[in-house]
Amino acid sequence: HNAPNRKRRPTLGPGAEVVRHKLPSGATVLIKPDASVPLIAVRAVWNGGLRYEDPRTSGTNNLLASLLTRGTSKRSAEQIMHEGEGMAGALAGFSGRNSFGCRAELLAKHWERGLEMMAECILDPAFAEDELEKERRQVLDELHAQQDNLSAVVFRAFNEELYRKHPYRLDVLGNKDTVKELAPRKRADFYRRYYPPSEMVLAVVGDVDPHAFVTKVSKLFDAPPTRSKPP
């Protein structure tokens, strides 16, 4: 019989190809080893995105995703970008209609450094005012450009009519009023509420050892389980 306190090792999934492991925090880790090329791709994903918004918070997830890798309490946006390039990789946030997360691609030999930086962005995003203003201006320019794009105007009207009460009626970019008003504090509160590490699914594909990866991830994301509720 195994000792009660023995650490559980990653187990193979039904297809015997993907290693699946549940962290003590509650997060799920999925690993598909592939040594055909010396690269890895990592995705940290949550249920979220547009479906978690309402007219008051419209566009929040789009801005959060843009700011997620644009600075922490330890690294500036420029440092994150340069360190990512030094690992022949890239790190960025993303948000869609049903999901929110962070992605990274890099050389396999740098996977530990890359994972550490990715975890730092997930656990300690700065949402700095200067970076927020840069992104705010860009989104407002995109919203303004939409007014001259007939396809964008048609799709917006279609979604508003089809999804009269569902969040899908909203634009993923938000609108000029909400984009102007949402402050860094509100974004930070929104992020902590809906995207705790305990509800993350972390997936990696590439030239990486599953046991080493799980060990590293367990150390980086060792927070106790928490629960969140969509609005």
Side-chain angles (χ1 to χ4, degrees):
H1 297 286
N2 293 333
N5 62 350
R6 184 176 179 179
K7 290 185 178 180
R8 188 173 50 173
R9 294 175 70 80
T11 56
L12 289 174
E17 292 183 354
V18 176
V19 176
R20 182 186 181 93
H21 186 72
K22 196 81 168 178
L23 298 181
S25 67
T28 299
V29 181
L30 304 174
I31 310 165
K32 184 170 184 179
D34 183 351
S36 60
V37 291
L39 302 170
I40 68 164
V42 189
R43 299 289 185 273
V45 188
W46 289 260
N47 286 323
L50 183 61
R51 62 185 281 189
Y52 276 31
E53 295 180 2
D54 59 36
R56 297 169 302 163
T57 59
S58 180
T60 298
N61 285 285
N62 177 64
L63 280 166
L64 284 177
S66 299
L67 297 171
L68 194 58
T69 59
R70 300 267 282 274
T72 68
S73 64
K74 298 178 182 178
R75 290 179 171 90
S76 66
E78 290 74 18
Q79 287 175 313
I80 291 172
M81 181 182 67
H82 290 315
E83 288 188 43
E85 291 175 348
M87 292 182 281
L91 185 66
F94 63 87
S95 181
R97 304 182 91 190
N98 300 294
S99 61
F100 177 92
C102 185
R103 64 176 182 265
E105 294 86 23
L106 61 152
L107 289 175
K109 66 180 181 180
H110 298 308
W111 75 266
E112 288 192 83
R113 275 182 58 207
L115 191 62
E116 288 171 359
M117 190 161 67
M118 184 177 187
E120 185 179 313
C121 290
I122 291 171
L123 298 172
D124 185 32
F127 299 130
E129 183 68 40
D130 57 341
E131 295 296 332
L132 169 60
E133 287 307 315
K134 292 176 188 176
E135 190 60 30
R136 197 199 307 270
R137 287 194 297 271
Q138 183 173 329
V139 173
L140 289 173
D141 288 343
E142 290 182 53
L143 287 170
H144 181 74
Q146 278 188 355
Q147 298 174 10
D148 297 322
N149 186 320
L150 292 180
S151 295
V153 173
V154 168
F155 274 113
R156 181 191 287 268
F158 175 80
N159 287 332
E160 289 175 352
E161 182 64 23
L162 183 63
Y163 304 107
R164 295 188 178 185
K165 295 184 178 181
H166 195 280
Y168 283 0
R169 73 188 186 279
L170 305 171
D171 192 317
V172 294
L173 294 177
N175 61 67
K176 63 179 182 180
D177 293 327
T178 57
V179 170
K180 287 179 180 178
E181 292 175 5
L182 285 174
R185 176 63 181 271
K186 290 183 179 180
R187 287 185 171 81
D189 290 343
F190 188 100
Y191 178 74
R192 285 192 295 268
R193 180 181 180 188
Y194 295 119
Y195 305 121
S198 60
E199 296 186 16
M200 171 183 69
V201 175
L202 185 69
V204 60
V205 176
D207 189 8
V208 64
D209 174 75
H211 299 301
F213 190 84
V214 166
T215 299
K216 185 69 175 179
V217 171
S218 298
K219 292 178 180 178
L220 293 172
F221 298 99
D222 61 355
T226 56
R227 298 297 301 169
S228 66
K229 294 181 181 179

